[in-house]
């Protein structure tokens, strides 16, 4: 537990200043974090990031992460759109399966593309959310952290009914509900000091949905690890696992908030 708390403090101290600064330093940091996340995910399928297929997946990731403000300068200079770049990557990956005589198969190519999408879309919206204002990033992180804390402590204290034992044996229905309730409580406190929603009703509704979706993101990561028989996605964060273990909920919550036009 001491190691887990110490790691959380160190990670918090490193990440928060970058969120505050924003701009290019934050974007570069997100690129690095997303690259580690892609590395962890590809490794589950025995695909090395520094292989031809791994580098192609990273190119797709880099394109997906490109902030909207950069697209006009970078992609227009190349004469392509994000969609066209993504299609080109898929075609190259499929061609590569022929070149290596199915040592790298269609299944591998599909996994590499989906891995880039899974990691890239969520972290792209992290970059875009920061451009809209630091308060929205703080709100998203608050919802995720309080949901995780509520689910953990309520589940330990009164959890009896398993939520999804085939995927994550330790999660309970009581913990799931406790996570949602705690997220709403802290969101209301945040709204009082930093209003980000037009009404409290909208804030509560969006927070409930975001908390549920965040827990679903956590279950998706658990399902991946269980399928590929790994305990943690990585070992970068002692006591916490890897990048995907810590950002799995965020990868789901941030796109949701954008689809809902944030919370107001």
């Amino acid at each position: 537990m001491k190691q887990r708390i110490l790691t959380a403090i160190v990670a918090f101290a490193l990440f928060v200043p970058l969120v505050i600064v924003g701009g290019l330093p934050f974007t570069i940091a997100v690129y690095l974090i997303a690259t580690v996340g892609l590395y962890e995910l590809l490794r589950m399928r025995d695909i090395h990031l520094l292989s031809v297929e791994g580098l192609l997946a990273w190119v797709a990731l880099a394109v997906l992460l490109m902030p909207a403000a950069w697209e006009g300068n970078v992609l227009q200079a190349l004469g392509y759109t994000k969609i066209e770049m993504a299609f080109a990557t898929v075609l190259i990956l499929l061609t590569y399966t022929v070149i290596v005589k199915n040592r790298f198969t269609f299944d591998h190519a599909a996994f590499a593309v989906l891995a880039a999408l899974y990691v890239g879309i969520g972290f792209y919206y992290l970059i875009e959310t920061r451009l809209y204002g630091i308060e929205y990033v703080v709100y998203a992180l608050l919802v995720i952290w309080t949901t995780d804390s509520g689910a953990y402590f309520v589940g330990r204290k009164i959890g009896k009914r398993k939520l999804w034992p085939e995927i994550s044996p330790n999660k309970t229905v009581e913990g799931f509900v406790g996570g949602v309730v705690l997220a709403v409580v802290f969101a209301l406190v945040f709204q009082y000091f930093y209003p980000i929603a037009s009404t409290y009703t909208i804030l509560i509704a969006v927070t409930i949905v975001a908390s549920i979706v965040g827990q679903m993101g956590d279950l998706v990561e658990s399902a991946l690890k269980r399928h590929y028989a790994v305990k943690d996605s990585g070992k970068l964060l002692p006591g916490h696992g890897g990048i995907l273990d810590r950002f799995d909920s965020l990868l789901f919550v941030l796109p949701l908030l954008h689809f809902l036009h944030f919370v107001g």
Side-chain angles (χ1 to χ4, degrees):
M1 180 60 73
K2 286 184 178 180
Q3 185 185 55
R4 187 179 179 90
I5 294 173
L6 181 61
T7 300
I9 293 173
V10 172
F12 185 82
L14 292 174
F15 185 67
V16 169
L18 290 168
V19 175
I20 294 173
V21 171
L24 184 60
F26 180 70
T27 300
I28 292 173
V30 173
Y31 262 86
L32 293 173
I33 292 170
T35 297
V36 176
L38 180 65
Y39 161 77
E40 292 174 352
L41 194 53
L42 292 178
R43 193 178 61 168
M44 293 184 191
R45 195 67 175 82
D46 295 323
I47 300 173
H48 298 287
L49 183 63
L50 295 180
S51 63
V52 172
E53 54 268 32
L55 290 174
L56 285 171
W58 183 85
V59 168
L61 173 70
V63 172
L64 287 168
L65 288 174
M66 191 176 296
W70 292 10
E71 291 182 36
N73 297 324
V74 179
L75 293 183
Q76 278 188 6
L78 295 174
Y80 298 103
T81 65
K82 276 190 175 183
I83 297 295
E84 289 168 340
M85 292 284 284
F87 284 165
T89 303
V90 172
L91 293 176
I92 294 171
L93 279 169
L94 292 176
T95 302
Y96 185 64
T97 64
V98 177
I99 294 172
V100 298
K101 300 177 181 179
N102 262 349
R103 176 185 62 80
F104 178 76
T105 66
F106 185 91
D107 289 344
H108 288 98
F111 184 91
V113 171
L114 191 56
L117 286 170
Y118 170 49
V119 177
I121 291 173
F123 280 115
Y124 165 76
Y125 281 112
L126 176 56
I127 295 172
E128 290 297 303
T129 300
R130 178 60 185 87
L131 293 175
Y132 277 88
I134 189 174
E135 63 271 22
Y136 296 106
V137 177
V138 174
Y139 167 76
L141 293 174
L142 183 70
V143 169
I144 291 166
W145 290 340
T146 53
T147 295
D148 288 346
S149 299
Y152 176 75
F153 288 110
V154 173
R156 284 194 63 181
K157 289 294 184 181
I158 62 173
K160 294 181 180 178
R161 292 172 291 179
K162 297 297 182 181
L163 178 65
W164 215 312
E166 298 85 0
I167 300 297
S168 187
N170 294 327
K171 295 189 186 307
T172 64
V173 173
E174 292 81 3
F176 179 88
V177 175
V180 174
V181 171
L182 193 65
V184 170
V185 170
F186 274 84
L188 291 172
V189 174
F190 185 77
Q191 170 78 2
Y192 179 80
F193 291 101
Y194 299 98
I196 58 172
S198 56
T199 67
Y200 278 97
T201 301
I202 291 176
L203 178 80
I204 292 171
V206 171
T207 301
I208 290 173
V209 174
S211 180
I212 293 172
V213 169
Q215 293 190 70
M216 184 56 66
D218 186 46
L219 286 169
V220 167
E221 176 66 12
S222 296
L224 275 169
K225 291 187 292 186
R226 184 164 289 273
H227 179 73
Y228 291 105
V230 296
K231 183 178 183 296
D232 295 312
S233 65
K235 299 180 180 179
L236 182 64
L237 305 171
H240 291 268
I243 288 297
L244 291 179
D245 292 313
R246 291 300 90 204
F247 285 88
D248 48 10
S249 296
L250 197 70
L251 295 178
F252 274 55
V253 169
L254 286 174
L256 167 74
L257 294 181
H258 265 266
F259 297 153
L260 296 176
H261 301 289
F262 294 112
V263 288

